[in-house]
Amino acid sequence: MKRQLILEDGTVFVGNSFGSEIETIGEVVFTTGMTGYQETITDPSFCGQIVTLTYPLIGNYGINREDFESIKPAIKGLIVKEAATYPSNWRSDLSIHEFLQAKGIPGIEGIDTRKLTRIIRKYGTLKGAICSIDESPEEIIERLKELELPNDQVKQVSTKNPYPSPGRGHKVVLVDFGSKHGILRELNNRDCDVTVVPYHTTAEEIISLHPDGVMLSNGPGDPKDVPEAIKMVQNILGKVPLFGICLGHQLFALACGADTYKMKFGHRGANHPVKDLRTGKVVFTSQNHGYAVDEASIQQTELEITQINLNDGTIEGLKHKKHSAFTVQYHPEASPGPEDSNELFDEFLKTMELCKGKEKQHA
């Protein structure tokens, strides 16, 4: 069945329908990973977005039970050049069409994803609609221009209630702004005793759990739309070691007096080079964000820039000069992508051990 992808700038693509046949509207973005489409589709940081996969063939190894990054996908739609009809992999349980159909997510295939990506790179992210071939493009474009996209994405994907993920090691509170399963998996692999809490949990509630450390997760949208989390970070800073990833990194920066801004088209993919300014080491990273920390705003804070992106010079890592707190803009847990920076979880453990040692000395 034919369907349309219509962008707010007036561009219209005609392709074939797969997945759900419902119509959808969202912010159209692109991601450049060659593999890992299942992790991408189920990454909560894509909440409310129509995701373009730039690799031309998607779905060739199907959908399996192991590679989910959330239970319920939050994307609005999927755009691909070609969706494989018959996946070939021993782990495959469903085709990508069957999965999207079951989850109520519409897809469009057979369009020029290279052209679409070039449009987004030139003009920035655009609102778009995947709809029936019978819809009037003029009417859809007018609706898109007038539409205000929601700003409650974190609320949509965060856990509603705290829950434990037991271990016998360090007690960690993971604040869920839309956390990927990969973060919890890495903490569990290190035997951490994790309590996952909702995005609006207060500093007092977190401290009452007596954690050895607090992790600020990834998540979707503008960090300035989560003021309660900024206040929480301000009140917890210096009381317990802190490690932030992606949205957690941005919230940490805002809490420390820095500023953030919306990027033209963001960083989404599994091949972004990041340089550590302390060691000179370069790692390739998995990224998914549309906002970044403003470098000029760092000067008035007690933050130190630890890492930068080699493609565009944007900030990729921060560290507090006085307190045990550090953050990165990328995803050290990968899923999908390279695991070059996985050792940051070990650094977090060492930070917690060091702080516990100091507490014992003062006791």
Side-chain angles (χ1 to χ4, degrees):
M1 187 177 72
K2 293 291 183 182
R3 72 179 355 173
Q4 302 177 94
L5 168 67
I6 302 173
L7 304 180
E8 63 177 308
D9 72 343
T11 306
V12 178
F13 294 89
V14 176
N16 300 313
S17 171
F18 74 105
S20 171
E21 295 181 5
I22 65 170
E23 298 185 358
T24 192
I25 289 177
E27 183 181 48
V28 182
V29 299
F30 68 87
T31 183
T32 58
M34 294 174 66
T35 60
Y37 54 81
Q38 181 173 337
E39 294 95 324
T40 296
I41 292 169
T42 57
D43 181 350
S45 291
F46 280 116
C47 177
Q49 295 175 325
I50 299 174
V51 180
T52 306
L53 299 173
T54 61
Y55 192 70
L57 178 61
I58 298 297
N60 53 312
Y61 55 86
I63 300 291
N64 64 73
R65 69 176 191 172
E66 285 88 9
D67 292 341
F68 290 102
E69 287 302 311
S70 66
I71 294 173
K72 183 180 179 183
I75 65 170
K76 282 288 193 175
L78 190 69
I79 303 167
V80 302
K81 173 65 176 173
E82 180 183 350
T85 306
Y86 301 104
S88 177
N89 186 277
W90 63 274
R91 296 195 306 163
S92 177
D93 297 315
L94 295 169
S95 70
I96 193 167
H97 163 70
E98 291 168 333
F99 177 69
L100 294 184
Q101 194 174 47
K103 297 299 181 180
I105 299 170
I108 183 171
E109 68 164 329
I111 72 164
D112 189 343
T113 51
R114 181 180 174 86
K115 178 181 178 181
L116 174 59
T117 300
R118 289 171 68 89
I119 290 171
I120 297 172
R121 283 184 60 88
K122 183 175 181 180
Y123 299 107
T125 52
L126 296 164
K127 287 176 284 187
I130 296 176
C131 59
S132 164
I133 195 70
D134 299 322
E135 292 283 351
S136 163
E138 292 77 16
E139 291 180 10
I140 296 292
I141 292 166
E142 197 60 37
R143 278 174 55 196
L144 290 173
K145 288 179 178 178
E146 296 174 357
L147 179 68
E148 288 290 330
L149 294 174
N151 63 354
D152 65 342
Q153 295 97 322
V154 169
K155 181 180 179 181
Q156 291 180 46
V157 295
S158 175
T159 183
K160 301 300 183 284
N161 299 295
Y163 64 90
S165 185
R168 294 183 178 274
H170 295 289
K171 291 182 67 67
V172 175
V173 169
L174 172 58
V175 186
D176 177 15
F177 302 112
S179 180
K180 291 167 59 184
H181 286 174
I183 294 176
L184 186 58
R185 180 174 60 247
E186 291 301 330
L187 292 171
N188 287 156
N189 284 347
R190 290 159 175 82
D191 203 27
C192 290
D193 182 20
V194 185
T195 301
V196 184
V197 299
Y199 76 98
H200 51 67
T201 306
T202 66
E204 293 74 21
E205 290 170 327
I206 291 173
I207 293 298
S208 71
L209 296 172
H210 304 289
D212 298 316
V214 172
M215 171 148 270
L216 308 175
S217 86
N218 64 289
D222 186 343
K224 292 176 182 175
D225 289 334
V226 202
E228 54 269 73
I230 298 170
K231 182 180 178 182
M232 177 272 289
V233 175
Q234 289 172 336
N235 291 331
I236 213 166
L237 193 60
K239 297 176 182 176
V240 64
L242 186 149
F243 178 21
I245 291 174
C246 200
L247 182 65
H249 160 84
Q250 297 160 14
L251 291 167
F252 171 71
L254 290 171
C256 293
D259 197 13
T260 57
Y261 64 94
K262 185 168 185 178
M263 306 172 78
K264 187 175 181 181
F265 49 82
H267 293 164
R268 298 176 179 90
N271 55 354
H272 292 264
V274 170
K275 181 178 180 179
D276 191 310
L277 298 177
R278 299 162 294 182
T279 65
K281 180 181 177 182
V282 175
V283 295
F284 282 90
T285 64
S286 176
Q287 302 202 12
N288 178 12
H289 61 101
Y291 291 81
V293 177
D294 181 8
E295 183 177 355
S297 70
I298 296 293
Q299 298 173 4
Q300 7 178 3
T301 71
E302 293 183 306
L303 297 176
E304 172 189 345
I305 300 173
T306 57
Q307 300 176 53
I308 60 167
N309 188 295
L310 289 182
N311 287 337
D312 59 11
T314 52
I315 294 173
E316 293 285 358
L318 292 171
K319 181 180 181 181
H320 201 281
K321 294 178 180 178
K322 294 183 178 179
H323 303 305
S324 299
F326 69 97
T327 61
V328 291
Q329 180 61 83
Y330 52 89
H331 287 265
E333 81 285 356
S335 300
E339 298 180 352
D340 296 20
S341 52
N342 194 266
E343 62 193 27
L344 288 174
F345 289 96
D346 298 319
E347 186 177 330
F348 183 41
L349 260 66
K350 290 175 184 175
T351 302
M352 289 189 284
E353 289 168 5
L354 186 63
C355 289
K356 287 177 76 173
K358 288 180 180 179
E359 287 177 4
K360 289 179 180 178
Q361 287 178 359
H362 291 133

